[in-house]
mmCIF file of all heavy atoms in Angstrom:
data_model
loop_
_atom_site.group_PDB
_atom_site.id
_atom_site.type_symbol
_atom_site.label_atom_id
_atom_site.label_comp_id
_atom_site.label_asym_id
_atom_site.label_seq_id
_atom_site.Cartn_x
_atom_site.Cartn_y
_atom_site.Cartn_z
ATOM 1 N N PRO Q 28 -24.941 19.654 8.912
ATOM 2 C CA PRO Q 28 -25.283 19.709 7.487
ATOM 3 C C PRO Q 28 -24.091 20.231 6.677
ATOM 4 O O PRO Q 28 -23.234 20.933 7.211
ATOM 5 C CB PRO Q 28 -26.453 20.702 7.445
ATOM 6 C CG PRO Q 28 -26.313 21.517 8.679
ATOM 7 C CD PRO Q 28 -25.636 20.664 9.704
ATOM 8 N N VAL Q 91 -16.292 22.217 5.942
ATOM 9 C CA VAL Q 91 -15.019 22.568 6.565
ATOM 10 C C VAL Q 91 -15.344 22.837 8.032
ATOM 11 O O VAL Q 91 -16.328 23.514 8.323
ATOM 12 C CB VAL Q 91 -14.470 23.840 5.876
ATOM 13 C CG1 VAL Q 91 -13.282 24.372 6.611
ATOM 14 C CG2 VAL Q 91 -14.136 23.556 4.432
ATOM 15 N N ILE Q 101 -4.924 36.121 9.952
ATOM 16 C CA ILE Q 101 -3.868 36.390 10.934
ATOM 17 C C ILE Q 101 -2.999 35.147 11.165
ATOM 18 O O ILE Q 101 -1.786 35.268 11.401
ATOM 19 C CB ILE Q 101 -4.436 36.981 12.258
ATOM 20 C CG1 ILE Q 101 -3.307 37.421 13.196
ATOM 21 C CG2 ILE Q 101 -5.344 36.026 12.982
ATOM 22 C CD1 ILE Q 101 -2.417 38.482 12.646
ATOM 23 N N TYR Q 132 -8.324 47.582 9.949
ATOM 24 C CA TYR Q 132 -7.493 48.320 8.994
ATOM 25 C C TYR Q 132 -8.133 49.667 8.645
ATOM 26 O O TYR Q 132 -7.583 50.722 8.936
ATOM 27 C CB TYR Q 132 -7.339 47.498 7.703
ATOM 28 C CG TYR Q 132 -6.209 46.493 7.662
ATOM 29 C CD1 TYR Q 132 -5.741 45.859 8.797
ATOM 30 C CD2 TYR Q 132 -5.615 46.150 6.450
ATOM 31 C CE1 TYR Q 132 -4.724 44.927 8.739
ATOM 32 C CE2 TYR Q 132 -4.589 45.224 6.378
ATOM 33 C CZ TYR Q 132 -4.144 44.617 7.514
ATOM 34 O OH TYR Q 132 -3.132 43.702 7.438
ATOM 35 N N SER Q 147 -4.152 55.846 16.787
ATOM 36 C CA SER Q 147 -2.785 55.857 17.311
ATOM 37 C C SER Q 147 -2.578 54.833 18.424
ATOM 38 O O SER Q 147 -3.526 54.435 19.106
ATOM 39 C CB SER Q 147 -2.467 57.259 17.858
ATOM 40 O OG SER Q 147 -3.295 57.503 18.983
ATOM 41 N N ALA Q 148 -1.341 54.412 18.566
ATOM 42 C CA ALA Q 148 -0.954 53.538 19.677
ATOM 43 C C ALA Q 148 0.302 54.150 20.296
ATOM 44 O O ALA Q 148 1.323 54.318 19.612
ATOM 45 C CB ALA Q 148 -0.680 52.129 19.171
ATOM 46 N N LEU Q 245 -2.769 41.350 3.496
ATOM 47 C CA LEU Q 245 -3.732 41.624 2.413
ATOM 48 C C LEU Q 245 -3.573 40.612 1.282
ATOM 49 O O LEU Q 245 -4.544 40.240 0.627
ATOM 50 C CB LEU Q 245 -3.542 43.050 1.883
ATOM 51 C CG LEU Q 245 -4.159 44.145 2.736
ATOM 52 C CD1 LEU Q 245 -3.766 45.531 2.205
ATOM 53 C CD2 LEU Q 245 -5.686 44.033 2.791
ATOM 54 N N ASP Q 302 -16.151 29.919 -17.648
ATOM 55 C CA ASP Q 302 -15.277 30.827 -16.887
ATOM 56 C C ASP Q 302 -15.070 30.319 -15.456
ATOM 57 O O ASP Q 302 -13.967 30.387 -14.913
ATOM 58 C CB ASP Q 302 -15.884 32.237 -16.848
ATOM 59 C CG ASP Q 302 -15.868 32.881 -18.228
ATOM 60 O OD1 ASP Q 302 -15.190 32.341 -19.122
ATOM 61 O OD2 ASP Q 302 -16.546 33.913 -18.413
ATOM 62 N N SER Q 328 -3.948 39.890 -6.399
ATOM 63 C CA SER Q 328 -4.914 40.902 -6.848
ATOM 64 C C SER Q 328 -5.674 40.425 -8.084
ATOM 65 O O SER Q 328 -6.832 40.782 -8.291
ATOM 66 C CB SER Q 328 -4.191 42.210 -7.181
ATOM 67 O OG SER Q 328 -3.635 42.751 -6.012
#
Side-chain angles (χ1 to χ4, degrees):
V91 171
I101 187 61
Y132 273 30
S147 66
L245 281 173
D302 292 348
S328 294

